[in-house]
Short mmCIF file of all heavy atoms in Angstrom, two decimals:
data_model
loop_
_atom_site.label_atom_id
_atom_site.label_comp_id
_atom_site.label_asym_id
_atom_site.label_seq_id
_atom_site.Cartn_x
_atom_site.Cartn_y
_atom_site.Cartn_z
N GLU B 748 143.62 7.45 -40.63
CA GLU B 748 143.60 8.72 -41.33
C GLU B 748 145.00 9.32 -41.42
O GLU B 748 145.35 9.98 -42.40
CB GLU B 748 142.67 9.70 -40.61
CG GLU B 748 141.20 9.30 -40.70
CD GLU B 748 140.32 10.27 -39.93
OE1 GLU B 748 140.89 11.20 -39.32
OE2 GLU B 748 139.09 10.10 -39.93
N HIS B 758 151.29 -2.53 -58.10
CA HIS B 758 150.02 -3.10 -58.51
C HIS B 758 150.09 -4.62 -58.46
O HIS B 758 151.14 -5.21 -58.68
CB HIS B 758 149.68 -2.63 -59.93
CG HIS B 758 148.23 -2.74 -60.25
ND1 HIS B 758 147.64 -3.93 -60.64
CD2 HIS B 758 147.24 -1.82 -60.23
CE1 HIS B 758 146.36 -3.74 -60.87
NE2 HIS B 758 146.08 -2.46 -60.62
N VAL B 780 148.66 0.44 -83.43
CA VAL B 780 149.12 -0.92 -83.15
C VAL B 780 150.51 -0.82 -82.53
O VAL B 780 151.42 -0.22 -83.13
CB VAL B 780 149.16 -1.77 -84.42
CG1 VAL B 780 149.63 -3.19 -84.11
CG2 VAL B 780 147.80 -1.81 -85.09
N LYS B 798 146.02 8.54 -77.13
CA LYS B 798 146.73 9.41 -78.06
C LYS B 798 148.15 9.78 -77.64
O LYS B 798 148.92 10.30 -78.43
CB LYS B 798 145.92 10.70 -78.28
CG LYS B 798 145.67 11.50 -77.01
CD LYS B 798 144.77 12.67 -77.28
CE LYS B 798 144.49 13.48 -76.02
NZ LYS B 798 143.57 14.61 -76.27
N HIS B 824 141.01 -9.99 -81.77
CA HIS B 824 141.24 -9.09 -82.89
C HIS B 824 140.46 -7.80 -82.68
O HIS B 824 139.26 -7.83 -82.41
CB HIS B 824 140.81 -9.75 -84.21
CG HIS B 824 141.79 -10.74 -84.72
ND1 HIS B 824 141.70 -12.09 -84.42
CD2 HIS B 824 142.91 -10.58 -85.49
CE1 HIS B 824 142.71 -12.74 -85.00
NE2 HIS B 824 143.45 -11.85 -85.65
N TRP B 829 145.56 -8.13 -84.08
CA TRP B 829 145.58 -8.91 -82.85
C TRP B 829 146.07 -8.05 -81.68
O TRP B 829 147.07 -7.34 -81.78
CB TRP B 829 146.49 -10.13 -83.00
CG TRP B 829 146.50 -11.01 -81.78
CD1 TRP B 829 147.50 -11.15 -80.88
CD2 TRP B 829 145.43 -11.84 -81.35
NE1 TRP B 829 147.14 -12.04 -79.91
CE2 TRP B 829 145.87 -12.49 -80.15
CE3 TRP B 829 144.15 -12.13 -81.82
CZ2 TRP B 829 145.07 -13.38 -79.45
CZ3 TRP B 829 143.36 -13.03 -81.12
CH2 TRP B 829 143.82 -13.64 -79.94
N ASP B 855 163.53 4.88 -64.74
CA ASP B 855 163.93 4.07 -63.60
C ASP B 855 163.02 2.86 -63.41
O ASP B 855 163.38 1.93 -62.67
CB ASP B 855 163.92 4.93 -62.32
CG ASP B 855 164.97 6.02 -62.35
OD1 ASP B 855 166.00 5.83 -63.03
OD2 ASP B 855 164.77 7.06 -61.70
N GLY B 859 159.03 -5.31 -67.01
CA GLY B 859 158.61 -6.62 -66.52
C GLY B 859 158.27 -6.65 -65.04
O GLY B 859 157.66 -7.60 -64.56
N HIS B 880 151.05 19.04 -62.67
CA HIS B 880 151.92 20.21 -62.67
C HIS B 880 152.87 20.19 -63.86
O HIS B 880 153.65 21.10 -64.02
CB HIS B 880 152.74 20.26 -61.38
CG HIS B 880 151.88 20.21 -60.15
ND1 HIS B 880 151.08 21.26 -59.76
CD2 HIS B 880 151.67 19.23 -59.24
CE1 HIS B 880 150.43 20.93 -58.65
NE2 HIS B 880 150.77 19.71 -58.33
N GLY B 900 173.95 33.04 -74.16
CA GLY B 900 175.08 33.81 -73.68
C GLY B 900 174.85 35.31 -73.70
O GLY B 900 175.79 36.09 -73.76
N ALA B 906 173.83 42.49 -78.91
CA ALA B 906 173.45 43.03 -80.21
C ALA B 906 172.69 44.33 -80.06
O ALA B 906 172.88 45.28 -80.82
CB ALA B 906 172.61 42.00 -80.97
N LYS B 916 176.80 56.80 -82.81
CA LYS B 916 177.87 57.26 -83.70
C LYS B 916 177.30 57.97 -84.91
O LYS B 916 177.83 58.96 -85.40
CB LYS B 916 178.72 56.07 -84.13
CG LYS B 916 179.59 55.50 -83.03
CD LYS B 916 180.44 54.36 -83.56
CE LYS B 916 181.35 53.80 -82.45
NZ LYS B 916 182.16 52.68 -82.94
N GLY B 928 179.28 72.27 -91.80
CA GLY B 928 178.54 73.10 -92.77
C GLY B 928 178.36 74.52 -92.27
O GLY B 928 178.48 75.48 -93.04
N LYS B 932 179.80 77.95 -94.00
CA LYS B 932 178.95 79.10 -94.33
C LYS B 932 179.48 80.37 -93.69
O LYS B 932 179.46 81.45 -94.28
CB LYS B 932 177.52 78.83 -93.84
CG LYS B 932 176.80 77.83 -94.69
CD LYS B 932 175.37 77.66 -94.18
CE LYS B 932 174.62 76.63 -95.03
NZ LYS B 932 173.24 76.43 -94.52
#
Side-chain angles (χ1 to χ4, degrees):
E748 292 178 359
H758 201 279
V780 180
K798 59 185 179 182
H824 282 93
W829 183 253
D855 294 332
H880 306 289
K916 289 182 179 179
K932 286 182 181 179

